[in-house]
Amino acid sequence: CSPAGGGPVPVLFCFSVFARPSSVPHGAGYELLIQKFLSLYGDQIDIHRKFVVQLFSEEWSQYVDLPKGFLVSERCKVRLVPLQIQMTTLGNLTPSSTVFFCCDMQERFRPAIKYFGDIISVGQRLLQGARLLGIPVIVTEQYPKGLGSTVQEIDLTGAKLVLPKTKFSMVLPEVEAALAEIPGVRSIVLFGVETHVCIQQTALELVGRGLEVHIVADATSSRSMMDRMFALE
């Protein structure tokens, strides 16, 4: 029964093996349910996981994903289910657990990539910082026979790897082997071109391997600013 006058609605909140009765205001939605779960089970919920809220359906006699736009209007039972995928969280960078990835900053891209001079300048500072902090640097060059080597302004002194590639992602077998040799790698600082192709594909592959990826926006560009904008989003 819906409570008279829009008062509190009884809700059973289930998480793992626990089930705790409580109540929420009439018309409460997803955000309030999440807040209630946190108040009831906050000490047991890993906030670095992704979750889904499910509602017990009498029609199906089982839990179903919370319908879009759901508002609590009557007594119900909900549960919080952690997904198997663990979210990668972005935190402070620590030199001992960080690797810099410099992607395809090559001569043939100079006339085509917007603000190429600016991203070269920022890239120079990033590599200088990496040398000062002892952070390994991995560099790739897309088909260097046709597109040329890394621009002369980028000083690759001390780079751990400089590799040619013919696929978009920087995650080559040699790169994976190099990462495996560095104990405790957690963070990748990624920059270069093009944002919507090689940078995006590299980021997706690294995130899929459980690494956190920091993209340096002012050292990353494309021929089209629209491509760049949507890739960064």
Side-chain angles (χ1 to χ4, degrees):
C1 297
S2 298
V9 182
V11 176
L12 185 65
F13 288 86
C14 305
F15 176 71
S16 183
V17 298
F18 309 105
R20 297 179 185 173
S22 188
S23 63
V24 297
H26 185 272
Y30 176 83
E31 295 296 335
L32 275 177
L33 291 175
I34 289 292
Q35 289 176 21
K36 198 69 175 181
F37 272 114
L38 288 172
S39 70
L40 293 171
Y41 301 109
D43 57 336
Q44 299 165 60
I45 293 174
D46 180 359
I47 61 172
H48 299 320
R49 299 289 295 272
K50 285 187 176 180
F51 293 87
V52 62
V53 178
Q54 295 185 322
L55 172 72
F56 187 81
S57 167
E58 299 289 350
E59 178 183 359
W60 299 102
S61 299
Q62 68 176 30
Y63 284 94
V64 296
D65 292 347
L66 199 68
K68 186 176 182 180
F70 172 79
L71 299 175
V72 177
S73 60
E74 59 185 7
R75 179 190 183 104
C76 60
K77 180 164 62 171
V78 293
R79 73 175 180 182
L80 191 66
V81 183
L83 300 179
Q84 294 302 310
I85 301 170
Q86 192 156 0
M87 277 177 25
T88 308
T89 57
L90 293 178
N92 290 336
L93 291 168
T94 304
S96 61
S97 62
T98 299
V99 178
F100 279 23
F101 275 35
C102 176
C103 183
D104 306 351
M105 302 278 270
Q106 292 160 255
E107 192 58 45
R108 283 288 294 275
F109 291 129
R110 190 185 295 270
I113 299 297
K114 293 287 180 62
Y115 305 110
F116 196 68
D118 294 337
I119 68 171
I120 288 174
S121 177
V122 179
Q124 287 174 314
R125 294 202 301 274
L126 287 168
L127 295 184
Q128 288 168 2
R131 284 193 292 275
L132 289 170
L133 295 169
I135 296 173
V137 174
I138 292 175
V139 180
T140 58
E141 298 173 339
Q142 182 74 14
Y143 187 56
K145 288 183 180 180
L147 298 174
S149 301
T150 301
V151 296
Q152 291 184 351
E153 297 98 311
I154 298 286
D155 184 359
L156 301 181
T157 302
K160 184 176 181 65
L161 283 178
V162 180
L163 293 170
K165 68 181 177 69
T166 53
K167 71 170 195 171
F168 293 139
S169 172
M170 290 181 68
V171 186
L172 305 168
E174 298 92 333
V175 172
E176 294 194 88
L179 291 176
E181 292 174 0
I182 305 170
V185 173
R186 186 186 71 186
S187 309
I188 305 297
V189 172
L190 174 60
F191 58 98
V193 298
E194 286 187 74
T195 317
H196 66 295
V197 190
C198 298
I199 294 294
Q200 181 170 321
Q201 291 298 316
T202 301
L204 291 172
E205 285 207 41
L206 291 170
V207 168
R209 285 161 169 74
L211 293 162
E212 62 177 39
V213 180
H214 298 252
I215 306 235
V216 186
D218 57 348
T220 304
S221 192
S222 297
R223 282 168 284 191
S224 158
M225 288 296 94
M226 182 174 289
D227 287 339
R228 177 181 179 276
M229 176 182 71
F230 282 110
L232 288 175
E233 281 190 15

